[in-house]
């Protein structure tokens, strides 16, 4: 059956629309620290409350005014942002490039999965805490709002590929999907990955199902 040029254009438009409906925004996440209230008290004073300067895409999460220094065996990283609110357990998220500067071997983990990871010293002025564990390179992942899981055809803890639509398009493999009613739908990558794909604000991604 032969189709007309107009029908062909309409079919292409439908496919493009379907693909666009399955896209989501990508965000680049720089090095940062999550602190327990116990460690906040030690570094910033008793009963200190983190001061929000910017609210993030995930509900209730914010970048605080507070900054810390990370001290490793071979180097330091200054002015590292503290994210709030306070957590039950402190955690530090860096890139592989940061790990080289510090002289540490930080494993690739999902946030919260810190068992058996290296520790790090966190300093503010002459005050410091030493984590026994908690230093990771965050594994790339997609936060998916529960109501949007069907639109993206994904389920919690599924591992997918993501096609990045940027000036340097590429496909990221081994991307973990995290589904929750508490999330908004955004993919998170670190600055090493952002540089690799030519990331800029507003960059979109699309899931490619693994075989």
């Amino acid at each position: 059956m032969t189709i007309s040029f107009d029908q062909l254009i309409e079919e292409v438009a439908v496919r493009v629309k379907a693909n666009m409906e399955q896209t989501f925004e990508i965000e680049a996440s720089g090095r940062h620290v999550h602190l327990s209230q116990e460690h906040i008290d030690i570094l910033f004073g008793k009963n200190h409350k983190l001061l929000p300067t910017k609210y993030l895409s995930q509900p209730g999460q914010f970048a605080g005014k507070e900054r810390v220094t990370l001290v490793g065996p071979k180097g330091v990283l200054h002015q590292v942002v503290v994210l709030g609110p306070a957590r039950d357990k402190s955690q530090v998220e860096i890139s592989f490039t940061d790990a080289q500067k510090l002289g540490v071997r930080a494993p690739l983990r999902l946030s919260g999965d810190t068992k058996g990871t290296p520790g790090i010293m966190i300093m503010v002025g002459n005050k410091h805490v030493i984590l026994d564990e908690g230093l990771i390179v965050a594994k790339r992942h997609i936060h998916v709002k529960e109501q949007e899981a069907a639109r993206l055809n994904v389920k919690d803890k599924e591992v997918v590929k993501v096609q990045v639509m940027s000036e340097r398009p590429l496909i990221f493999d081994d991307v973990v999907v995290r589904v929750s009613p508490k999330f908004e739908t955004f993919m998170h990558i670190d600055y090493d990955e952002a540089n690799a794909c030519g990331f800029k604000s507003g960059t979109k991604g699309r899931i490619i199902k693994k075989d």
Side-chain angles (χ1 to χ4, degrees):
M1 177 179 177
T2 303
I3 62 174
S4 68
F5 179 74
D6 288 341
Q7 288 174 317
L8 179 61
I9 293 297
E10 183 178 352
E11 181 178 332
V12 171
V14 168
R15 290 179 181 177
V16 169
K17 182 180 179 182
N19 284 337
M20 291 306 295
E21 287 176 348
Q22 292 183 316
T23 64
F24 43 84
E25 189 168 343
I26 299 174
E27 293 181 322
S29 180
R31 66 180 78 107
H32 60 270
V33 173
H34 300 280
L35 294 174
S36 66
Q37 189 60 52
E38 176 188 0
H39 289 161
I40 292 171
D41 291 348
I42 293 172
L43 295 172
F44 299 103
K46 189 68 175 176
N47 298 321
H48 180 85
K49 299 298 181 184
L50 297 176
L51 302 173
T53 59
K54 177 184 178 182
Y55 283 92
L56 308 178
S57 60
Q58 298 308 306
Q61 305 294 306
F62 61 86
K65 179 181 179 181
E66 295 79 2
R67 298 291 185 272
V68 300
T69 297
L70 302 179
V71 182
K74 294 184 178 180
V76 299
L77 295 172
H78 298 286
Q79 293 295 307
V80 179
V81 66
V82 178
L83 299 190
R87 289 197 175 185
D88 293 336
K89 188 175 182 180
S90 295
Q91 175 180 294
V92 177
E93 298 181 34
I94 60 175
S95 69
F96 282 125
T97 299
D98 292 334
Q100 290 178 342
K101 292 178 181 178
L102 291 171
V104 295
R105 292 188 176 182
L108 194 63
R109 297 282 186 92
L110 286 174
S111 179
D113 180 13
T114 59
K115 186 176 182 179
T117 59
I120 191 76
M121 179 184 287
I122 305 173
M123 294 190 66
V124 176
N126 61 356
K127 300 176 182 179
H128 74 274
V129 295
I130 299 176
L131 305 187
D132 294 328
E133 61 182 20
L135 181 68
I136 66 170
V137 174
K139 194 169 188 177
R140 48 186 174 251
H141 58 279
I142 313 169
H143 291 284
V144 177
K145 190 172 185 176
E146 190 173 63
Q147 298 90 318
E148 295 192 339
R151 172 177 71 87
L152 297 175
N153 188 27
V154 294
K155 59 181 182 292
D156 188 42
K157 298 181 181 177
E158 183 176 359
V159 178
V160 299
K161 297 179 181 180
V162 172
Q163 179 183 15
V164 180
M165 294 173 281
S166 62
E167 291 182 342
R168 299 179 69 185
L170 54 72
I171 295 175
F172 281 126
D173 200 352
D174 198 28
V175 182
V176 180
V177 176
R178 309 183 76 176
V179 179
S180 170
K182 298 179 180 180
F183 292 158
E184 292 296 334
T185 302
F186 287 87
M187 178 177 176
H188 286 163
I189 58 177
D190 67 23
Y191 279 4
D192 286 352
E193 295 163 326
N195 289 333
C197 70
F199 171 87
K200 62 182 179 180
S201 181
T203 295
K204 300 283 188 177
R206 183 175 67 86
I207 288 174
I208 300 174
K209 288 285 194 172
K210 294 177 74 72
D211 296 333

